[in-house]
Amino acid sequence: MLKRHARAACTALAAAGLLLAATGAVATAAPAESADAARPQKSASATLRTADAPPELLTAMQRDLGLTPTQAEARLAHEAEAGATAARLQARLGAAFAGAWLDGADAGTLTVATTRAADTAAIRAAGARAKLVSRSLADLDTAQAALDRAATAGTPVRYVDPRGNTLVVEETRPGAAAGLLAATGTDPALVTVVRTAEAPRPLYDLRGGDAYYMNGSGRCSVGFPITKGTVNGFATAGHCGRAGTITSGFNQVAQGSFQASVFPGNDMAWVAANANWSSTPYVKGSGGANVQVTGSVLQPVGASVCRSGSTTGWHCGTIQQHNTSVTYPEGTISGVTRTTVCAEPGDSGGSYISGSQAQGVTSGGSGNCSSGGTTFFQPLNPILSAYGLTLKVTGTDPGPGPGDPEPGGTWKAGSVYAAGATVTYGGASYRCIQGHQAQTGWEPPVVPALWQRL
């Protein structure tokens, strides 16, 4: 546990993308009405505005991922399109879905795995590579959940590896994984054991990435600025403070207090700021430049992701696994995302971002930014949903134009939708295919990257 009291730093960064969890079979989509068909349909990359990625993010991707400028720009566009394609295929394959991932320097190759041979033609027709495997994502997730309930510090990290179609268990001492499998009755054939010398720990220490102080001593970083009604504030890591913890800003001026916090179990919290502080739609970038946040679409395995930290600055890597479980000395947290981004003490609570899409807040990790490491982030959308928060964003469209009918229905800007959620809009029903917080300009009929008409 990288816990720094007396000025220990935490950081921020976030990005956007795909929620890769089993959703079950869906009904065959009905033909779109002529009115919807006449609407201009945005591509996923246009929806997520990948062409507007800030220069400092592209520069960090080039440095940390070994990319050319052209590859960095192409990668963001490919990731957005692949995320939408994978989400649609996941809904179509239902219980046979076994995961999806990206490969290639520019993320130009999407692979989708299935347990059903009959699905491979549909996967290829969608432009992805098909891989036939023996275990579904849902089966491996079920096995992981059983291990999570009995895990100890001897088996600190557990996750599903879709590439290997296996459940990975990291152990810090010989025999720890075997003991866990025996205690839970888990079939060893499902599991790949990896020895590790490092144990994850929380990275202790209203713009994402700026420092804040808890009770005048410990330091963490703002994750993402938010609003809750008329209140300004920010999302951050739960291990940084408990409800009632008083905060001051990067300038040591009184700032606000923690309103709610969960750790362990999850690693989420939010702070309400006083009237002297206003939320902005920015994350602190390289050299202090502002990086705009325009949404919260979670990206798929293999996608690039960058982190802003008050200790180590801007660093990039890739998403390795979603829905990872980590056992810290304080207890187990579940549902975090594992990444190759480095971090050091003082980088907790800060923002992970992919393109302009917020991903989550720094939870913990191992290693450092000299020799490399592994970090985990708490996805942002569950924080927004749990506490009824609205992410501060820029670049939203004005909504329906003059003469457009009143849409009606259950869809609502500001709501957080998980993959598989259904809404009505303009008399039609839609299913969410990528988790995100809705905003004006992302209405279901005009963003097929996020919504599938039923």
Side-chain angles (χ1 to χ4, degrees):
M1 174 176 180
L2 297 184
K3 186 176 184 180
R4 282 189 180 174
H5 296 296
R7 308 177 87 84
C10 308
T11 53
L13 182 61
L18 165 72
L19 181 61
L20 291 176
T23 57
V26 299
T28 302
E33 296 177 2
S34 57
D36 283 347
R39 288 179 179 270
Q41 299 294 301
K42 292 182 180 179
S43 68
S45 58
T47 296
L48 303 187
R49 301 177 63 200
T50 62
D52 297 332
E56 56 269 28
L57 184 142
L58 293 169
T59 299
M61 290 175 63
Q62 293 165 46
R63 179 196 65 202
D64 294 340
L65 297 175
L67 305 178
T68 66
T70 299
Q71 287 174 326
E73 293 175 357
R75 183 171 184 125
L76 292 177
H78 290 165
E79 288 169 355
E81 300 300 339
T85 299
R88 287 191 290 267
L89 286 170
Q90 179 179 355
R92 178 169 180 172
L93 272 54
F97 178 74
W101 59 92
L102 295 170
D103 289 302
D106 64 356
T109 302
L110 169 67
T111 302
V112 175
T114 180
T115 60
R116 194 166 48 212
D119 294 330
T120 58
I123 293 172
R124 295 188 185 104
R129 288 183 177 178
K131 184 174 182 179
L132 187 62
V133 297
S134 59
R135 309 177 188 105
S136 71
L137 182 63
D139 288 340
L140 291 172
D141 281 344
T142 298
Q144 179 184 336
L147 298 182
D148 290 348
R149 290 189 288 270
T152 66
T155 52
V157 178
R158 302 151 309 278
Y159 57 85
V160 172
D161 175 14
R163 287 184 173 92
N165 193 228
T166 187
L167 176 57
V168 176
V169 176
E170 295 185 1
E171 64 176 10
T172 57
R173 54 181 175 78
L180 177 61
L181 300 187
T184 57
T186 301
D187 182 358
L190 297 176
V191 176
T192 298
V193 178
V194 176
R195 287 294 306 278
T196 179
E198 299 176 335
R201 67 285 192 207
L203 301 174
Y204 281 87
D205 234 81
L206 281 172
R207 177 178 61 166
D210 278 340
Y212 69 92
Y213 299 87
M214 298 85 70
N215 292 331
S217 56
R219 178 161 64 100
C220 276
S221 297
V222 174
F224 290 93
I226 54 84
T227 59
K228 186 177 175 102
T230 60
V231 175
N232 291 282
F234 57 88
T236 190
H239 71 260
C240 288
R242 295 296 182 221
T245 297
I246 302 301
T247 69
S248 55
F250 65 92
N251 51 6
Q252 298 285 8
V253 172
Q255 181 188 66
S257 64
F258 277 71
Q259 301 300 295
S261 175
V262 177
F263 179 80
N266 298 115
D267 198 357
M268 60 173 67
W270 82 281
V271 171
N274 61 40
N276 294 326
W277 295 81
S278 298
S279 295
T280 69
Y282 303 119
V283 164
K284 183 179 181 180
S286 179
N290 287 332
V291 176
Q292 290 193 348
V293 178
T294 65
S296 62
V297 181
L298 190 65
Q299 294 292 358
V301 168
S304 61
V305 65
C306 297
R307 178 189 57 74
S308 173
S310 58
T311 297
T312 58
W314 272 85
H315 287 277
C316 298
T318 59
I319 292 173
Q320 293 181 297
Q321 282 86 28
H322 293 297
N323 197 30
T324 300
S325 301
V326 181
T327 300
Y328 295 135
E330 296 80 8
T332 294
I333 62 170
S334 300
V336 292
T337 295
R338 182 173 182 257
T339 80
T340 64
V341 185
C342 70
E344 297 182 6
D347 284 336
S348 273
S351 330
Y352 280 76
I353 191 164
S354 182
S356 65
Q357 298 296 304
Q359 296 300 289
V361 300
T362 305
S363 174
S366 57
N368 56 54
C369 287
S370 296
S371 60
T374 298
T375 54
F376 306 89
F377 68 75
Q378 163 70 58
L380 178 64
N381 284 330
I383 305 178
L384 301 177
S385 181
Y387 302 132
L389 310 176
T390 299
L391 177 65
K392 190 74 173 179
V393 298
T394 57
T396 56
D397 294 332
D404 286 348
E406 180 66 24
T410 59
W411 180 89
K412 183 180 179 182
S415 295
V416 175
Y417 295 106
T422 58
V423 299
T424 57
Y425 185 91
S429 296
Y430 296 85
R431 186 186 305 277
C432 177
I433 59 175
Q434 296 195 80
H436 65 285
Q437 184 171 58
Q439 56 182 276
T440 302
W442 284 10
E443 292 81 8
V446 297
V447 282
L450 302 179
W451 294 99
Q452 176 188 41
R453 181 166 175 155
L454 302 178

